[in-house]
Amino acid sequence: SWIDAVRSWTAQVSPLIAPDGTRDRTTEWLAFQTIVGAWPISPERMTRYLIKATREAKIHTSWLRADTEYELAIAAFVDNLYFNPDLMQEIEEYVDSLDPSFVTNCLGQRAVQLLMPGVPDIYRGCETVSLRLVDPDNRVPLDDAELQETSVRSEQTQLDPYRDLAAAKLRLTREGLLLRQRHREQLGRTSTYQPLVVRGSAEEYIVGFIRSDSIACVASRFAGSLEPEQLDDTQLSLDGQWRNVLTGQELDAGNDARLTVSEVLGNWPVALLERVKPS
């Protein structure tokens, strides 16, 4: 678990001492959250971020009354982290263990954002995966060449989101926006929203809804505890024929007006469906 991991990591580094002489466990906790969430992150970025965050917290230092000694202690704490190869290996392995959940959450949030009621607000650069911190990364210019390369990869027919999440998120963003463009009226002020009925052993892991009986969104969650075979015995109440715009797969609900989650999702944790033909 996360708490067990942090306990192990804090035992392997020299403590960060606050100006009052106590251990600053709050900032240590923030440091471990940041290193995992923004991995891989350089020690320079980590130090700048922690100093900025603690100054804005105004507990031990601030922009107007910077405590140089405390901020030097933050830099030393970060150095202790990064110059401990066993600890860094342990953190990297922990991050790797979270990868399936990260892929699921990253694509699931974007899929729901694209088709839920309202207008999706997508920041520049966030068409794909962005692990930039609010500061100091908010002033870093976008890498247009990298975005172009990612765009090319996103066009691949057999795209595996678990191997190339950046390209998968870009495809999801592009296809979702094109879907919105094709169905402006069905997503406008008079549009409707209907939750999808899910039945089966994985029903608590699946989120889905239909907009104006024309397009549908299906997303999975809690990937860390979801067994793949659970998707085979879990069904969605969908009638008629649909096309998954992410994979191009055609789906026919047949007379039962049901589709298994596994056939809807394929090798993706999400699906954007466009109705081809009603039942």
Side-chain angles (χ1 to χ4, degrees), residues 25-212:
R25 295 186 180 275
T26 300
T27 303
E28 289 183 2
W29 182 275
L30 175 63
F32 289 123
Q33 283 185 321
T34 303
I35 198 171
V36 169
W39 184 273
I41 176 173
S42 69
E44 293 77 18
R45 282 178 64 209
M46 173 68 80
T47 299
R48 291 199 301 270
Y49 173 72
L50 290 178
I51 290 177
K52 178 261 184 185
T54 52
R55 283 182 177 179
E56 294 190 353
K58 300 178 182 178
I59 297 175
H60 303 305
T61 186
S62 68
W63 290 107
L64 295 179
R65 294 181 177 85
D67 188 320
T68 303
E69 184 176 351
Y70 171 69
E71 293 179 1
L72 288 173
I74 290 177
F77 176 79
V78 172
D79 287 342
N80 287 334
L81 281 177
Y82 280 84
F83 289 101
N84 185 332
D86 293 336
L87 175 57
M88 295 304 290
Q89 178 65 29
E90 193 173 321
I91 292 175
E92 183 175 12
E93 291 174 355
Y94 183 84
V95 173
D96 289 343
S97 73
L98 298 177
D99 192 62
S101 296
F102 177 58
V103 173
T104 297
N105 292 343
C106 180
L107 297 181
Q109 289 177 17
R110 175 51 51 89
V112 171
Q113 178 198 26
L114 285 166
L115 295 188
M116 67 187 292
V119 179
D121 185 8
I122 301 172
Y123 291 169
R124 286 190 63 205
C126 292
E127 303 90 344
T128 182
V129 177
S130 174
L131 299 181
R132 288 173 293 174
L133 300 169
V134 174
D135 202 14
D137 301 338
N138 58 347
R139 297 175 182 85
V140 176
L142 296 178
D143 189 334
D144 292 330
E146 182 180 355
L147 284 173
Q148 182 60 37
E149 292 174 3
T150 305
S151 178
V152 172
R153 298 199 312 275
S154 73
E155 299 283 357
Q156 296 176 2
T157 303
Q158 300 297 327
L159 178 59
D160 184 348
Y162 295 96
R163 291 183 178 272
D164 193 347
L165 176 58
K169 186 179 179 184
L170 185 54
R171 175 187 287 189
L172 172 61
T173 302
R174 180 182 62 245
E175 295 301 328
L177 293 176
L178 289 173
L179 191 60
R180 292 186 64 90
Q181 187 179 54
R182 292 194 296 272
H183 295 272
R184 293 180 180 178
E185 293 184 4
Q186 288 85 353
L187 294 171
R189 293 184 178 181
T190 60
S191 64
T192 61
Y193 168 95
Q194 183 68 39
L196 276 175
V197 177
V198 186
R199 292 287 183 268
S201 63
E203 60 185 51
E204 66 177 306
Y205 296 90
I206 303 301
V207 177
F209 54 87
I210 302 177
R211 299 297 310 279
S212 300

